[in-house]
Amino acid sequence: MILVVLISVLFLGGVLAWLSEGFDAKFPRVIALAAVVIDLLIMLSLLAVPESAESAWIVSLNAQWMPNFGISFHLAADGLSVLLLLLTGFLGVIAIGSAWNEITERVGFFYFSLLWTLAGVVGVFTALDLFLFFFFWEVMLIPMYFIIAVWGHENKNYAAMKFFIFTQVTGMLMLVSILLLAYFHYVQFGWFSFDYLDLLKVNMSSRIEMWVMLGFFIAFTTKLPSFPFHSWLPDAHSQAPTAGSVILAGVLLKTGAYGLIRFAIPLFPHASMQFAPIAMTLAVISILYCAKVAFAQTDIKRLIAYTSVSHMGFVLLGIYAWNAQALQGAVMTMLAHGLSAAALFMLAGGLQHRIHTRNMQDMGGFWAKVPRMSFVALFFSIAALGMPGLGNFVGEFLALLGAFKANITLTVLAAFGLIFASVYSLWVIQKVFHGEYKNTDFDDAQLSDLSRREMFYFAAMMLGLIWMGMYPQSFLDLSEATLSNLLSVTQGVVSSVVQQ
Amino acid sequence: MIMTLDDLNPLMPLLIVTATAIIAMLMIGIRRSYLLTGAIAITGLLIAAIVAATMMSYTNQQLTPLLIIDQYSLFFTLLICAAAMFIAILSFPYFFNLDDHKEEYYLLLVVATIGAIVMVSSNHFVSALLGLETLSMSLYGMVAYPLHSKNAAKYPLEAAVKYLVLSGVASAFIVFGMALVYAQTGSLSFSSLLDVSGSANGLSDSYSIIALLLITAGMAFKLSLAPFHLWTPDVYEGSPLPATGYLATIGKAAMFVLMLRFIITSEALSFPSIVMVFSLLAAASILAGNLLALSQDNLKRILAYSSIAHMGYLLLAVIASYSTEGSISIEAVTFYLLAYVIMSLGAFAVASVISSSEKEFDAVSDYRGLFWRNPWLAASFMTMLLSLAGIPLTIGFIGKFYLFLAGVEAGLWALLAVLVIGSGIGLYYYLRIVYQMLMPEDESLRYRIAGIESLSSYGVIAVLVFLLLLLGIYPAPVMSIVASVSAYL
């Protein structure tokens, strides 16, 4: 029941925020913040639920929805879900904070879209019925489309359309796969079911399993995104308003990784293990190629977007290595990247809000002018490049460590990504914040340092990254049960494939 | 066969609609009143819809060789009467300022509905043709209705003549095909062509195939399946909006039900070549409809092309019906037709609310900034468009889910791939309209409502949006109804 509350608070909060605009333009953001904070508190309360011996699910709810097809309203959360829910709630607050003064037009509809996106994400992280999962998967798209299309920048129509078509078309492939899976369940057991726990038992011939798995894989790697399905991301990020980027980079991308961990591999262990070398190769290409492309960007938001793809490559690498360390590393990277990428996009958005350009060629020497902002940028750049002591390092290190056991060549290649990351991160710092300050190419009348409110948000994210880096065990413990559970489910299959 | 008065009971919906037409006609003779004629038509259709709904649980009867009144035909009688009633309500403000006699429009609308009801209840060539022609003849009138008006917004004459000529040709094809089938089976009732071909006194298989091809071509014309779709965008664009709505929803749905009944009874899909033809028609319609809609700037033309694509989607489920067990494909067709009627009707309703017979707002750019001027109307329109695109929370998604399920069960991989590609392309032009509505207002384009504003039209839109979302979020009850009526086919 608590999960239904979690989702409906966001849905209802969104509607209320929209309606309240009629009374006062300040109401929507307050209502939105209240809704997300309530959600965050509920999510925290999930941590206090005592562990039960017989099931890994902390909370679950199963109600009939469309009994003709065995579709149920099945929500459940385990350690992995809770971790990602906390990330969603936390970044939800941050996103509202970053929009607080930036969004001045159509505020009601903005917060409505923001909260509905979050509601979709919460649904994705908790749905255990595949039809319901697909439902939420699509629900988070439309409000995100609105966010980019209405409050975006100069080329918003193109970016929003591209985002929508990429995710929707690949989503449809996933729908076909889901239906195939349900149909095979029908053939095997005589009744339709879309329930995750039922579908885990379906057996398929290996050729069909591969095709069905690919439907899921393409949908999830488009969202992740990974090479070759990543081209929507730089456009979406460079055009989206800051809050949109925060949600997109921090949370939406993680739904793809979550889908791979929860669905793509456990449902199709055989095909996934056969496919793993290809997936890991794609991951390495993402890491290296997108790091290289990032280095060539002049648009600061596009640059951060490409680095996102590069870092998510480590997640993909870790997931397909499919062992305890690698998976823990993937999850840690998801969390840490959620914070660091969101922070970097907020900084870029803040800069654009102040000087109305994203072109790095025009920038330089900002340290003298805005020292606090420069320090924050340095901190998150260093976090992103994987400095020991911060969360990203733990994640990427564990992912590489685990991947080393699975495939040495690819891991060695992927490790070069860390070097590239240092190059482009420090290059940005040097280009934008060091050197001589000149304001010939832009209007610096509004170039002010971070306000106290902004500092508060950044400080919270910094604390989060330091905590992850210094005491990762507190996060690893939460996801440990889930991951070892998933590993044990696929144990037999994995060893048989590896032996072949 | 001796008929008693009791035998007429199953015909109640049809008789009520017929009586409505007669009463309305007499009423016009006594006193010309636009309001009164409209009220008679709307009330009559409402009563017929309610009666059809109450009869659904127990009526299942072949009435004379011509008509079959079973749950399936009653389900669509209900749908058609309700949709016709909604269109009648929408027509009222639209034609309010027409500088010509307006009352007879309702007469045509009700008579067209009689034809549609006969079509969904027929399993005999004679009744099928009678129903089809009654519907088409009335539609020519509805399309050309504002002909004598000096301020007519569009080109009703061009549209009507085009529709008349091409539809006449299509009917001729169907009649010729029927004659060949009759030569084969010796019966004008729908019956299996498969048994006849095999038996000694039947003609050869190729003969049946030619007959089926002729009928298919004619029906494809009426359903505007590619490559028989060329008339559709012109007729849609030239007709007054409520008539376009009628043509696009009831006209298509009735024709589709008739085709479905014919194909299933005649076992047309057991001929591999016919399956091939249907698959090509489906793929061509999905691709042509979606691709041609991309470059259109007129809302009615976009909806015309999108209806071509939707007919292609539906055809996929029809093809699947031959190789799936049970009635899942029939359920898919039935549910998708229901969804299609609701969402297209909704889209036409929004357009006709802000238009009138003198001024139609049907360019995509007319909708610029609508979301900020009239958020409720624009939000309704968006839900309709997103539903047409098959996005969750709407009935269009559940419909598409059904189609995918039927396709997966039948293993129609190539067509499913076309469906995915087609839907992907479709997103573009639906979103383009959504994006126009989200753009900032253009001050030079002062928004106004052409004609008069009518609260009842907004009521229609509200009901349609409610249905669209309700059936998109909690479709289980309607799913069981659809499953039970589909079992009768």
mmCIF file of all heavy atoms in Angstrom, chain B residues 389-409:
data_model
loop_
_atom_site.group_PDB
_atom_site.id
_atom_site.type_symbol
_atom_site.label_atom_id
_atom_site.label_comp_id
_atom_site.label_asym_id
_atom_site.label_seq_id
_atom_site.Cartn_x
_atom_site.Cartn_y
_atom_site.Cartn_z
ATOM 1 N N ALA B 389 -1.865 7.847 -31.123
ATOM 2 C CA ALA B 389 -0.480 7.405 -31.247
ATOM 3 C C ALA B 389 -0.209 6.162 -30.405
ATOM 4 O O ALA B 389 0.851 5.568 -30.518
ATOM 5 C CB ALA B 389 0.465 8.527 -30.840
ATOM 6 N N GLY B 390 -1.157 5.791 -29.537
ATOM 7 C CA GLY B 390 -1.003 4.569 -28.755
ATOM 8 C C GLY B 390 -0.155 4.723 -27.511
ATOM 9 O O GLY B 390 0.629 3.843 -27.181
ATOM 10 N N ILE B 391 -0.324 5.828 -26.798
ATOM 11 C CA ILE B 391 0.454 6.067 -25.594
ATOM 12 C C ILE B 391 -0.361 5.610 -24.380
ATOM 13 O O ILE B 391 -1.565 5.796 -24.348
ATOM 14 C CB ILE B 391 0.772 7.573 -25.455
ATOM 15 C CG1 ILE B 391 1.404 8.100 -26.735
ATOM 16 C CG2 ILE B 391 1.646 7.848 -24.268
ATOM 17 C CD1 ILE B 391 2.782 7.586 -26.993
ATOM 18 N N PRO B 392 0.288 4.989 -23.373
ATOM 19 C CA PRO B 392 -0.452 4.489 -22.220
ATOM 20 C C PRO B 392 -1.284 5.552 -21.499
ATOM 21 O O PRO B 392 -1.072 6.738 -21.691
ATOM 22 C CB PRO B 392 0.631 3.971 -21.299
ATOM 23 C CG PRO B 392 1.710 3.588 -22.186
ATOM 24 C CD PRO B 392 1.688 4.555 -23.312
ATOM 25 N N LEU B 393 -2.164 5.059 -20.655
ATOM 26 C CA LEU B 393 -3.194 5.812 -19.942
ATOM 27 C C LEU B 393 -4.390 6.059 -20.850
ATOM 28 O O LEU B 393 -5.418 6.526 -20.399
ATOM 29 C CB LEU B 393 -2.714 7.175 -19.426
ATOM 30 C CG LEU B 393 -1.774 7.202 -18.227
ATOM 31 C CD1 LEU B 393 -1.316 8.626 -17.961
ATOM 32 C CD2 LEU B 393 -2.470 6.652 -17.005
ATOM 33 N N THR B 394 -4.272 5.733 -22.131
ATOM 34 C CA THR B 394 -5.390 5.978 -23.028
ATOM 35 C C THR B 394 -5.858 4.663 -23.639
ATOM 36 O O THR B 394 -5.145 3.665 -23.634
ATOM 37 C CB THR B 394 -4.979 6.891 -24.189
ATOM 38 O OG1 THR B 394 -3.977 6.218 -24.951
ATOM 39 C CG2 THR B 394 -4.434 8.199 -23.697
ATOM 40 N N ILE B 395 -7.079 4.705 -24.191
ATOM 41 C CA ILE B 395 -7.668 3.515 -24.780
ATOM 42 C C ILE B 395 -6.872 3.056 -26.004
ATOM 43 O O ILE B 395 -6.801 1.876 -26.315
ATOM 44 C CB ILE B 395 -9.140 3.791 -25.143
ATOM 45 C CG1 ILE B 395 -9.850 2.493 -25.497
ATOM 46 C CG2 ILE B 395 -9.259 4.793 -26.274
ATOM 47 C CD1 ILE B 395 -11.318 2.647 -25.672
ATOM 48 N N GLY B 396 -6.225 4.019 -26.678
ATOM 49 C CA GLY B 396 -5.455 3.659 -27.869
ATOM 50 C C GLY B 396 -4.328 2.699 -27.543
ATOM 51 O O GLY B 396 -3.983 1.828 -28.346
ATOM 52 N N PHE B 397 -3.769 2.843 -26.347
ATOM 53 C CA PHE B 397 -2.685 1.939 -25.948
ATOM 54 C C PHE B 397 -3.207 0.523 -25.747
ATOM 55 O O PHE B 397 -2.601 -0.449 -26.203
ATOM 56 C CB PHE B 397 -2.025 2.452 -24.678
ATOM 57 C CG PHE B 397 -1.082 1.451 -24.072
ATOM 58 C CD1 PHE B 397 0.077 1.094 -24.739
ATOM 59 C CD2 PHE B 397 -1.364 0.847 -22.871
ATOM 60 C CE1 PHE B 397 0.940 0.161 -24.209
ATOM 61 C CE2 PHE B 397 -0.510 -0.088 -22.340
ATOM 62 C CZ PHE B 397 0.645 -0.438 -22.997
ATOM 63 N N ILE B 398 -4.339 0.413 -25.044
ATOM 64 C CA ILE B 398 -4.896 -0.925 -24.818
ATOM 65 C C ILE B 398 -5.247 -1.565 -26.160
ATOM 66 O O ILE B 398 -5.017 -2.759 -26.381
ATOM 67 C CB ILE B 398 -6.141 -0.847 -23.903
ATOM 68 C CG1 ILE B 398 -5.812 -0.076 -22.621
ATOM 69 C CG2 ILE B 398 -6.670 -2.222 -23.572
ATOM 70 C CD1 ILE B 398 -4.965 -0.789 -21.649
ATOM 71 N N GLY B 399 -5.782 -0.728 -27.071
ATOM 72 C CA GLY B 399 -6.094 -1.235 -28.399
ATOM 73 C C GLY B 399 -4.858 -1.767 -29.092
ATOM 74 O O GLY B 399 -4.865 -2.859 -29.665
ATOM 75 N N LYS B 400 -3.788 -1.004 -29.020
ATOM 76 C CA LYS B 400 -2.564 -1.432 -29.672
ATOM 77 C C LYS B 400 -2.002 -2.686 -28.997
ATOM 78 O O LYS B 400 -1.464 -3.573 -29.654
ATOM 79 C CB LYS B 400 -1.544 -0.307 -29.639
ATOM 80 C CG LYS B 400 -0.801 -0.257 -30.942
ATOM 81 C CD LYS B 400 -0.103 1.027 -31.188
ATOM 82 C CE LYS B 400 -0.528 1.607 -32.506
ATOM 83 N NZ LYS B 400 -0.044 2.940 -32.718
ATOM 84 N N PHE B 401 -2.138 -2.739 -27.687
ATOM 85 C CA PHE B 401 -1.730 -3.926 -26.940
ATOM 86 C C PHE B 401 -2.442 -5.161 -27.490
ATOM 87 O O PHE B 401 -1.823 -6.199 -27.744
ATOM 88 C CB PHE B 401 -2.057 -3.698 -25.458
ATOM 89 C CG PHE B 401 -2.020 -4.922 -24.619
ATOM 90 C CD1 PHE B 401 -0.805 -5.456 -24.217
ATOM 91 C CD2 PHE B 401 -3.181 -5.540 -24.215
ATOM 92 C CE1 PHE B 401 -0.763 -6.588 -23.424
ATOM 93 C CE2 PHE B 401 -3.151 -6.678 -23.431
ATOM 94 C CZ PHE B 401 -1.938 -7.197 -23.045
ATOM 95 N N TYR B 402 -3.749 -5.043 -27.707
ATOM 96 C CA TYR B 402 -4.527 -6.138 -28.290
ATOM 97 C C TYR B 402 -3.977 -6.540 -29.656
ATOM 98 O O TYR B 402 -3.818 -7.717 -29.964
ATOM 99 C CB TYR B 402 -5.983 -5.701 -28.464
ATOM 100 C CG TYR B 402 -6.929 -6.156 -27.391
ATOM 101 C CD1 TYR B 402 -7.549 -5.258 -26.550
ATOM 102 C CD2 TYR B 402 -7.244 -7.494 -27.267
ATOM 103 C CE1 TYR B 402 -8.455 -5.667 -25.585
ATOM 104 C CE2 TYR B 402 -8.153 -7.919 -26.315
ATOM 105 C CZ TYR B 402 -8.743 -7.007 -25.482
ATOM 106 O OH TYR B 402 -9.627 -7.418 -24.535
ATOM 107 N N LEU B 403 -3.717 -5.526 -30.491
ATOM 108 C CA LEU B 403 -3.235 -5.830 -31.842
ATOM 109 C C LEU B 403 -1.901 -6.563 -31.787
ATOM 110 O O LEU B 403 -1.688 -7.554 -32.476
ATOM 111 C CB LEU B 403 -3.062 -4.547 -32.652
ATOM 112 C CG LEU B 403 -4.316 -3.749 -32.975
ATOM 113 C CD1 LEU B 403 -3.974 -2.590 -33.882
ATOM 114 C CD2 LEU B 403 -5.348 -4.622 -33.650
ATOM 115 N N PHE B 404 -0.994 -6.050 -30.932
ATOM 116 C CA PHE B 404 0.311 -6.696 -30.801
ATOM 117 C C PHE B 404 0.139 -8.135 -30.321
ATOM 118 O O PHE B 404 0.783 -9.056 -30.820
ATOM 119 C CB PHE B 404 1.190 -5.930 -29.805
ATOM 120 C CG PHE B 404 1.970 -4.808 -30.433
ATOM 121 C CD1 PHE B 404 1.777 -3.497 -30.057
ATOM 122 C CD2 PHE B 404 2.921 -5.076 -31.411
ATOM 123 C CE1 PHE B 404 2.501 -2.467 -30.634
ATOM 124 C CE2 PHE B 404 3.646 -4.055 -31.995
ATOM 125 C CZ PHE B 404 3.436 -2.746 -31.600
ATOM 126 N N LEU B 405 -0.754 -8.309 -29.357
ATOM 127 C CA LEU B 405 -0.967 -9.655 -28.812
ATOM 128 C C LEU B 405 -1.457 -10.599 -29.909
ATOM 129 O O LEU B 405 -0.945 -11.719 -30.058
ATOM 130 C CB LEU B 405 -1.978 -9.573 -27.666
ATOM 131 C CG LEU B 405 -2.098 -10.818 -26.800
ATOM 132 C CD1 LEU B 405 -0.790 -11.093 -26.097
ATOM 133 C CD2 LEU B 405 -3.205 -10.634 -25.764
ATOM 134 N N ALA B 406 -2.436 -10.125 -30.696
ATOM 135 C CA ALA B 406 -2.955 -10.963 -31.778
ATOM 136 C C ALA B 406 -1.845 -11.281 -32.780
ATOM 137 O O ALA B 406 -1.695 -12.423 -33.223
ATOM 138 C CB ALA B 406 -4.121 -10.257 -32.472
ATOM 139 N N GLY B 407 -1.051 -10.255 -33.113
ATOM 140 C CA GLY B 407 0.028 -10.458 -34.078
ATOM 141 C C GLY B 407 1.072 -11.430 -33.576
ATOM 142 O O GLY B 407 1.552 -12.296 -34.308
ATOM 143 N N VAL B 408 1.401 -11.317 -32.281
ATOM 144 C CA VAL B 408 2.405 -12.210 -31.699
ATOM 145 C C VAL B 408 1.892 -13.643 -31.693
ATOM 146 O O VAL B 408 2.604 -14.580 -32.050
ATOM 147 C CB VAL B 408 2.758 -11.745 -30.266
ATOM 148 C CG1 VAL B 408 3.451 -12.850 -29.501
ATOM 149 C CG2 VAL B 408 3.637 -10.510 -30.319
ATOM 150 N N GLU B 409 0.615 -13.804 -31.315
ATOM 151 C CA GLU B 409 0.071 -15.170 -31.276
ATOM 152 C C GLU B 409 0.062 -15.807 -32.654
ATOM 153 O O GLU B 409 0.301 -17.000 -32.804
ATOM 154 C CB GLU B 409 -1.350 -15.146 -30.711
ATOM 155 C CG GLU B 409 -1.376 -15.190 -29.217
ATOM 156 C CD GLU B 409 -2.685 -15.763 -28.702
ATOM 157 O OE1 GLU B 409 -3.254 -16.657 -29.345
ATOM 158 O OE2 GLU B 409 -3.128 -15.283 -27.644
#
